[in-house]
């Protein structure tokens, strides 16, 4: 009847999942980087939208 | 070594290295030149009643072809259009609408004017100027809905093709501008004064944000400045705030505050004071300041009647300022 619920062991309830191991964190980070390339990219304005602006001055090199 | 570029369009005067974008998000330095990123790329296009701008003294009851690109040079925490004004052009869904196409569509839809609105049109200055120039040649009027955070020189260049402006004065309080809007008050007042001098028909809006800019002293200071600097014929619209963007914690402006603001402005001698975003009543009607005759009736954004005769009151013949034909 209580299947799936945390077991009451020694009077303490399990309140959070076990901490992810160091190796687990490394693998998770690698997975984000590896699969991130498949996420949609930010859309850039098309080249036609670029136009030299009015009202600016060119400064010194720095 | 890279060449820095200083944008002189607005009082921020952003200094940008290559590939840096200004505070407006719509102007970028590229190989020593400043580029606009939004020319011909509006993200919002609608046909609105001109009353929605709000502009009450220009061709009432007509349609205004309204458009906007992404970007704004202010960062008002209460912005009602923040989803486009505080967005970068690469994150909005944009149309491909060159200036000539805007004018063609405006005429096709029977509009008498084109409104540059919703976000801050000053930051898409080149698109606005080119469209307004073509619109003027096609016999359309141009309306600039702005916070007037712009330098004098660009404004002088824009004025010959701009018929009307609704300028949003956020508060007569520099601290409010700095802390809530990311700007300063002085350039806004200077630009507003210059716009009137350059012959643009100017109407003002003041959004009343509860506890921040709705004190009677602040409202009185605005009304006094308008009357003494611009004259009593400049229409002033007090607009009711609704929770938006970063100010979801504040309630809508109490109706009594909006009504009180109108009373203060009228008592200070302004002749045309309106309230917006409030339930329908007499507050959106234009009455003759001399004989109180009802001249233009409005229900929300809809004109219900126009009794003006060639821009004059039919009863006492007083000339009512505005652009009526």
């Amino acid at each position: 009847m209580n299947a799936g619920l945390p077991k009451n062991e020694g009077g303490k309830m399990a309140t959070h999942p076990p901490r992810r191991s160091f190796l687990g964190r490394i693998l998770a980070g690698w997975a984000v980087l590896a699969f991130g390339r498949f996420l949609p990219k930010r859309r850039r304005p098309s080249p036609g939208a670029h136009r030299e602006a009015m009202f600016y001055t060119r400064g010194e090199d720095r | 070594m890279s060449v820095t570029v200083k944008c002189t369009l607005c009082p921020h005067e952003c200094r940008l290295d290559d590939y840096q974008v200004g505070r407006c998000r719509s102007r970028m330095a590229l190989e020593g030149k400043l580029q606009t990123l939004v020319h011909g790329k509006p993200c919002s296009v609608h046909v609105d009643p001109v009353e929605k701008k709000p502009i009450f003294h220009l061709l009432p009851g007509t349609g205004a072809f309204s458009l906007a690109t992404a970007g704004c040079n202010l960062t008002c925490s209460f912005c009602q259009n923040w989803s486009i004004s505080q967005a970068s052009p690469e994150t909005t869904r944009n149309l491909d609408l060159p200036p000539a196409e805007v004018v063609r569509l405006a005429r096709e839809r029977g509009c008498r004017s084109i409104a540059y609105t919703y976000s801050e049109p000053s930051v898409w200055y080149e698109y606005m100027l080119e469209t307004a120039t073509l619109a003027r040649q096609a016999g359309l009027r141009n309306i600039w809905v702005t916070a007037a955070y712009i330098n004098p020189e660009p404004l002088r260049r824009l004025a010959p093709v701009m018929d009307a402006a609704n300028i949003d004065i956020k508060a007569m309080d520099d601290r409010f501008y700095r802390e809530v809007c990311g700007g300063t008050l002085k350039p806004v007042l200077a630009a507003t004064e210059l716009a009137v001098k350059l012959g643009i028909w100017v109407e003002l809006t003041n959004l009343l944000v509860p506890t921040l800019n709705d004190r009677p002293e602040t409202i009185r200071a605005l009304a006094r400045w308008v009357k003494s600097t611009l004259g009593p014929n400049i229409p002033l619209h007090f607009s009711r705030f609704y929770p938006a963007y970063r100010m979801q914690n504040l309630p809508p402006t109490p109706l009594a505050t909006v009504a009180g603001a109108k009373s203060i402005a009228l008592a200070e001698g302004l002749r045309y004071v309106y309230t917006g975003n409030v339930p329908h009543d007499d507050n959106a009607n234009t009455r003759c300041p001399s004989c109180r005759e009802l001249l233009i009736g409005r229900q929300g954004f809809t004109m219900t009647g126009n009794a003006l005769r060639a821009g004059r009151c039919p009863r006492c013949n007083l000339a009512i300022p505005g652009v009526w034909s």
Side-chain angles (χ1 to χ4, degrees):
Chain A
M1 276 177 71
N2 290 329
L5 292 176
K7 287 180 182 174
N8 187 348
E9 290 173 354
K12 285 186 178 178
M13 289 287 284
T15 54
H16 54 78
R19 279 178 78 172
R20 196 182 299 282
S21 70
F22 180 72
L23 182 62
R25 292 185 208 183
I26 296 286
L27 285 172
W30 173 84
V32 167
L33 292 175
F35 291 101
R37 70 180 62 190
F38 299 115
L39 294 174
K41 302 289 183 296
R42 293 178 83 197
R43 282 176 293 127
R44 297 272 160 201
S46 72
H50 288 238
R51 167 87 50 115
E52 186 173 357
M54 300 164 73
F55 303 108
Y56 72 94
T57 57
R58 297 181 73 172
E60 310 79 35
D61 289 354
R62 71 176 184 192
Chain B
M1 286 289 209
S2 63
V3 179
T4 59
V5 161
K6 185 171 91 167
C7 178
T8 56
L9 179 67
C10 92
H12 287 311
E13 304 207 333
C14 299
R15 287 175 182 278
L16 307 170
D17 280 327
D18 260 1
Y19 294 100
Q20 270 192 320
V21 177
R23 292 172 68 153
C24 61
R25 304 179 183 86
S26 60
R27 301 167 84 76
M28 183 172 81
L30 195 63
E31 293 166 1
K33 290 180 179 174
L34 188 67
Q35 305 276 337
T36 165
L37 302 177
V38 290
H39 196 89
K41 295 283 175 183
C43 59
S44 296
V45 180
H46 300 279
V47 174
D48 287 338
V50 71
E51 284 78 8
K52 193 178 173 183
K53 301 301 104 192
I55 288 280
F56 280 12
H57 288 228
L58 180 138
L59 304 175
T62 63
F65 193 86
S66 306
L67 72 157
T69 77
C72 182
N73 50 356
L74 296 180
T75 52
C76 306
S77 302
F78 50 80
C79 185
Q80 310 275 310
N81 282 334
W82 62 273
S83 60
I84 58 169
S85 73
Q86 304 302 313
S88 304
E90 66 268 24
T91 61
T92 51
R93 198 168 290 277
N94 304 323
L95 298 174
D96 192 2
L97 211 60
E101 189 64 7
V102 175
V103 175
R104 190 190 68 75
L105 280 173
R107 295 183 71 182
E108 186 184 286
R109 303 293 161 97
C111 298
R112 299 280 306 276
S113 57
I114 296 178
Y116 312 91
T117 179
Y118 304 134
S119 58
E120 175 48 67
S122 305
V123 308
W124 32 285
Y125 184 92
E126 295 76 12
Y127 186 34
M128 172 171 61
L129 180 66
E130 195 177 326
T131 308
T133 305
L134 293 176
R136 176 61 70 83
Q137 289 165 7
L140 295 170
R141 301 282 189 174
N142 290 302
I143 301 169
W144 178 42
V145 184
T146 178
Y149 205 61
I150 187 169
N151 277 338
E153 195 46 42
L155 177 50
R156 283 198 182 90
R157 187 84 175 263
L158 181 68
V161 292
M162 201 49 69
D163 296 282
N166 186 296
I167 297 179
D168 189 3
I169 296 189
K170 314 285 181 184
M172 285 299 275
D173 180 355
D174 190 60
R175 191 171 161 191
F176 180 86
Y177 264 90
R178 288 176 190 275
E179 292 181 358
V180 182
C181 305
T184 52
L185 173 63
K186 204 174 163 186
V188 175
L189 298 185
T192 305
E193 202 176 338
L194 181 59
V196 172
K197 278 185 185 159
L198 292 170
I200 300 174
W201 171 253
V202 170
E203 301 191 18
L204 303 175
T205 292
N206 180 214
L207 181 77
L208 295 167
V209 186
T211 71
L212 294 178
N213 68 350
D214 63 342
R215 285 176 300 133
E217 312 86 270
T218 315
I219 295 163
R220 191 169 292 111
L222 173 62
R224 283 185 181 166
W225 178 81
V226 173
K227 190 187 176 196
S228 62
T229 312
L230 310 177
N233 283 333
I234 298 289
L236 176 57
H237 302 256
F238 288 109
S239 197
R240 190 183 185 202
F241 162 88
Y242 281 93
Y245 193 36
R246 291 174 174 163
M247 288 204 170
Q248 307 272 355
N249 56 321
L250 294 175
T253 318
L255 290 173
T257 306
V258 185
K262 180 176 179 179
S263 302
I264 291 170
L266 288 171
E268 289 298 327
L270 297 186
R271 292 178 185 150
Y272 305 98
V273 184
Y274 304 101
T275 58
N277 290 346
V278 293
H280 302 163
D281 53 16
D282 192 49
N283 288 319
N285 295 333
T286 301
R287 289 187 175 274
C288 175
S290 174
C291 69
R292 304 307 300 161
E293 176 79 353
L294 177 63
L295 301 174
I296 303 169
R298 299 181 186 89
Q299 284 282 317
F301 300 135
T302 306
M303 187 185 75
T304 53
N306 184 353
L308 284 174
R309 298 277 175 271
R312 290 178 174 274
C313 172
R315 190 201 272 181
C316 70
N317 207 35
L318 181 78
I320 307 300
V323 181
W324 307 115
S325 58

